Amino acid sequence: MKKHFFKLVLACTLITVLLSCSSDDDNSSVNTDTSQIVSAAQSGTWSITSFVDSGNDETNHFTGYAFTFGSNEVLTAVNGDSTVIGTWSVTTDDSNDDNPSGDVDFNIGFASPTDFTDLTDDWDIVTVTSTTISLIDVSGGNGGTDTLVFQKN
């Protein structure tokens, strides 16, 4: 009887360990506290130091722009006399098609000009620190990967 009980306990333990493991454990370093992410983004102005759109480096389209992640989800990009207004937010999406297990999205939206509309997406967060916001998006349509990196000014 003790043998069967021991086997049952061992089997239950093994099942519990296997069920607690997840295929996305390699993303455990990503900060999922939305208030901390918002706070980091709102702390100063940012420049785009890298924007790769499906393998094409388009960083130069944003040279000289200072991005401000303001309150009320207002995203402002200023370069001298040129100002572009968009939106931004950080959301938790448990039903995201890109990551069905749920994730935190860094959402950016611009209606125009064309270069800025390329930034419009629900980006997955790679890292957010006090000096860097690194984002990635894998397109559902063509499978292309876009990356976007903001560096604090």
Side-chain angles (χ1 to χ4, degrees):
M1 184 71 153
K2 285 184 179 182
K3 247 186 198 179
H4 293 289
F5 179 75
F6 178 73
K7 286 181 182 178
L8 180 63
V9 169
L10 183 61
C12 289
T13 303
L14 181 59
I15 289 170
T16 302
V17 168
L18 290 175
L19 289 176
S20 68
C21 292
S22 169
S23 63
D24 65 352
D25 283 346
D26 55 3
N27 292 329
S28 62
S29 64
V30 174
N31 184 356
T32 58
D33 183 338
T34 58
S35 63
Q36 285 182 353
I37 295 167
V38 168
S39 179
Q42 289 181 319
S43 67
T45 63
W46 302 80
S47 296
I48 292 179
T49 56
S50 178
F51 175 54
V52 178
D53 186 3
S54 297
N56 299 316
D57 187 343
E58 298 182 9
T59 308
N60 64 327
H61 297 178
F62 308 99
T63 301
Y65 279 93
F67 290 80
T68 303
F69 298 96
S71 59
N72 298 321
E73 300 181 351
V74 175
L75 175 55
T76 307
V78 178
N79 185 359
D81 292 335
S82 177
T83 300
V84 181
I85 304 292
T87 62
W88 78 287
S89 63
V90 177
T91 58
T92 303
D93 184 2
D94 293 331
S95 62
N96 186 316
D97 292 337
D98 297 337
N99 184 359
S101 65
D103 63 346
V104 177
D105 290 330
F106 198 102
N107 308 290
I108 296 175
F110 285 101
S112 64
T114 303
D115 289 340
F116 281 79
T117 62
D118 288 343
L119 300 176
T120 299
D121 218 325
D122 57 337
W123 297 88
D124 291 325
I125 297 171
V126 177
T127 57
V128 174
T129 69
S130 61
T131 59
T132 304
I133 300 171
S134 182
L135 310 170
I136 191 167
D137 181 66
V138 178
S139 173
N142 64 8
T145 300
D146 302 339
T147 58
L148 176 61
V149 178
F150 289 93
Q151 195 73 37
K152 191 167 185 180
N153 291 330

